Amino acid sequence: MRVAAPGTVVVIGAGIGGLLAAAAVAGCYQKVIVLDRDRLPDGPALRKGAPQGAHVHGVLASGQTALEALLPGVIDDVMAAGGDVGDMLADGLFYVGRQRLVAGQSGLQGLVASRPLLEWVIRRRVAALPNVEIRCGVEVQSLVHDAARQRVTGVLLAPPDATQPPSLLAADLVVDVAGRGSRCLQWLQQLGYGAPPLSRQPVDVTYTSCYFERKDTDLPGLRAVLCAHSADFPTASGMLEQEGERWVISCGAFANAAAPTDLEGFRAYLHRHAPPETAHVAAIATPLGTPVQFRYPASEHRHFERMPCFPAGYLVMGDALCSFNPVYGQGMTVAACEAVALRQCLQQGADHLAPRFFKACARLIAAPWEITVGSDLALPMVVGKRPFGFALMNRFMDRVVHAAQTDLRVAKALLAVIHLTAPSWSLLYPVMLWRVWRGGFAR
Ligand SMILES: Cc1cc2nc3c(=O)[nH]c(=O)nc-3n(C[C@H](O)[C@H](O)[C@H](O)COP(=O)(O)OP(=O)(O)OC[C@H]3O[C@@H](n4cnc5c(N)ncnc54)[C@H](O)[C@@H]3O)c2cc1C
């Protein structure tokens, strides 16, 4: 690959977004240093800086394609480490509310592995790249900035103890992938660049999750049961087979309808708010620990592409750029697609990188953002302005789901939109409209 610029890249954050950013830039720069304030475990273990790892994590089909583009063979590596793949409608069940999509070969592959496993496999691959170094237990305190050149020239690292001064790490490019809690907004303000416009959709979702022992007899032939929420069934849930003969069950409830964190309460909640197969497994399987919770207040997209002035030598990616309501399983996929976009931008050179990169990200975030916000607003308890024609579009989507219960082609088209492998308007192709209309007669 053509080297866009000699020199060093510092990546802040060794989460999945940061690791994929490192993979993207490794072919374009001489040296890549990934920093994380966590002590990174030498195996697939939960860690403090990524508490979401205790909850269901699915990778959409488009995300798997992006992962393979960045790290060829990585899905095989996940499988060798205990993960697995399966067809979304042949090896799993997919519900929208109480309606189940027809079973059959969807051609869309789901990846079943825990987030800690996925991160560990990706980290091993990235650490094996000859010019990448991952340093853990290192916290970035602030950016180093050359005001005359309007350029970020490195980062200041917090000292191991407060009596020492912070140390400087110089870089030609700093990629901030420090997650939702990134200090990018504060840093940009302090450096005089102001704040990016913000799109924000409050959702107030609470995830509650628990691991269970898995036996082949629990749900013969099935690896996953996913349930998207609907207006009359407003809890999303997911049950995925995980490495180590386990199931993970997560449910995401809106407003103040969270599942209880005591086991019996959680099981009873699943009976009312999850598909019967999920409730069945929770009822018969041996729990591995007690349910844990994660509260997610709002989806946020920071529009750096609309800032009149942005420092050279600095980029923001992953959840720090756009964080989606997790119930749609988009975060890792979008982070992987952003990393592919970063590599493509660098292949065209390193000049004016930030505006080109943020513009490319804005384009690729548009579709998942529309799905997230559109589906959130379909719930009456979610506050926000419904756009013109919203009720009509919702009625159409209800009909699509209804037809998808019996028509495999409609089910595949719907899943392709959810997995970001087809645009949402593909559901409006004449052949789809005909099938959806015909499906309506079965109502
Ligand atoms: C409950 C829940 C469920 C989810 N489910 C899914 C799913 O099913 N599918 C999906 O695709 N996505 C899902 N997501 C989203 C997904 O986890 C993230 O989008 C994805 O992991 C990318 O995150 P990231 O790498 O940008 O940030 P993070 O994972 O937050 O990583 C940021 C890293 O930066 C480090 N860091 C932070 N500040 C500093 C600093 N100053 N110095 C050094 N290091 C620092 C942290 O320690 C951390 O390791 C879910 C999220 C949640 C909360």
Side-chain angles (χ1 to χ4, degrees):
M1 183 185 296
R2 191 161 71 90
V3 172
T8 301
V9 181
V10 163
V11 177
I12 311 174
I16 286 179
L19 294 169
L20 296 176
V25 298
C28 305
Y29 284 82
Q30 276 163 349
K31 175 93 188 145
V32 182
I33 302 171
V34 186
L35 306 172
D36 203 290
R37 61 183 170 203
D38 261 11
R39 299 260 160 226
L40 300 171
D42 187 18
L46 200 59
R47 61 184 179 87
K48 191 169 162 237
Q52 72 269 39
H55 304 270
V56 158
H57 267 66
V59 186
L60 303 178
S62 54
Q64 293 171 50
T65 306
L67 282 176
E68 281 289 318
L70 293 161
L71 296 165
V74 70
I75 305 287
D76 285 345
D77 294 344
V78 173
M79 288 167 70
D84 212 343
V85 293
D87 186 276
M88 288 297 299
L89 292 176
D91 301 308
L93 306 178
F94 195 102
Y95 286 82
V96 179
R98 291 188 178 83
Q99 307 186 74
R100 183 161 69 74
L101 269 49
V102 62
Q105 286 291 335
S106 70
L108 284 168
Q109 182 177 278
L111 181 62
V112 285
S114 69
R115 188 190 181 285
L117 182 82
L118 211 53
E119 181 181 292
W120 177 60
V121 169
I122 294 173
R123 188 171 350 117
R124 270 194 322 192
R125 285 289 304 268
V126 171
L129 296 171
N131 58 341
V132 176
E133 184 192 342
I134 301 176
R135 295 188 196 164
C136 61
V138 182
E139 176 166 3
V140 175
Q141 205 171 57
S142 60
L143 299 175
V144 179
H145 181 245
D146 179 340
R149 290 195 296 150
Q150 297 212 321
R151 184 172 192 98
V152 168
T153 55
V155 291
L156 279 186
L157 307 179
D161 74 77
T163 58
Q164 292 168 355
S167 54
L168 170 81
L169 182 59
D172 301 274
L173 176 65
V174 174
V175 189
D176 187 335
V177 209
R180 225 180 129 84
S182 157
R183 280 176 248 164
C184 57
L185 298 184
Q186 186 191 329
W187 291 339
L188 286 168
Q189 295 261 25
Q190 282 165 357
L191 296 175
Y193 290 95
L198 176 73
S199 296
R200 187 169 195 274
Q201 176 57 57
V203 285
D204 192 11
V205 164
T206 305
Y207 259 64
T208 311
S209 303
C210 190
Y211 273 81
F212 293 86
E213 275 181 23
R214 178 180 177 277
K215 295 197 179 73
D216 287 339
T217 48
D218 290 341
L219 275 186
L222 288 179
R223 293 185 172 150
V225 179
L226 298 173
C227 178
H229 58 76
S230 64
D232 60 350
F233 195 82
T235 300
S237 65
M239 178 172 76
L240 292 190
E241 177 189 316
Q242 305 277 270
E243 69 279 358
E245 295 304 313
R246 298 176 298 162
W247 292 107
V248 60
I249 299 180
S250 293
C251 51
F254 288 76
N256 42 19
T261 50
D262 68 284
L263 192 65
E264 283 324 305
F266 184 61
R267 283 172 160 153
Y269 181 94
L270 293 174
H271 266 288
R272 294 192 305 276
H273 301 284
E277 296 81 0
T278 304
H280 166 73
V281 170
I284 61 161
T286 306
L288 300 163
T290 48
V292 292
Q293 274 188 341
F294 190 106
R295 208 179 144 248
Y296 184 90
S299 301
E300 282 189 1
H301 181 191
R302 296 159 180 173
H303 294 279
F304 298 107
E305 80 284 2
R306 295 193 205 149
M307 285 177 75
C309 195
F310 194 87
Y314 183 52
L315 300 176
V316 184
M317 270 181 62
D319 283 10
L321 168 59
C322 185
S323 158
F324 301 88
N325 177 355
V327 303
Y328 308 101
Q330 297 169 325
M332 296 187 295
T333 289
V334 172
C337 293
E338 288 166 2
V340 171
L342 174 56
R343 190 171 66 178
Q344 285 164 353
C345 287
L346 281 170
Q347 283 166 351
Q348 289 152 19
D351 293 341
H352 306 291
L353 182 62
R356 287 187 290 120
F357 172 69
F358 288 132
K359 209 186 257 180
C361 288
R363 274 197 299 271
L364 71 87
I365 287 169
W369 183 262
E370 182 191 295
I371 291 175
T372 297
V373 174
S375 311
D376 289 339
L377 288 175
L379 296 178
M381 68 284 264
V382 172
V383 292
K385 192 171 172 339
R386 275 71 177 164
F388 178 74
F390 187 74
L392 191 67
M393 197 59 203
N394 264 347
R395 273 211 297 282
F396 173 69
M397 288 311 294
D398 284 347
R399 292 200 168 231
V400 170
V401 171
H402 186 82
Q405 291 179 100
T406 49
D407 186 332
L408 184 59
R409 211 159 142 196
V410 177
K412 282 162 73 169
L414 176 62
L415 280 185
V417 172
I418 292 170
H419 278 252
L420 305 174
T421 59
S424 51
W425 44 261
S426 60
L427 294 172
L428 299 171
Y429 289 155
V431 62
M432 274 305 138
L433 291 176
W434 154 246
R435 284 176 169 267
V436 169
W437 179 77
R438 194 183 57 176
F441 284 118
R443 284 173 88 87

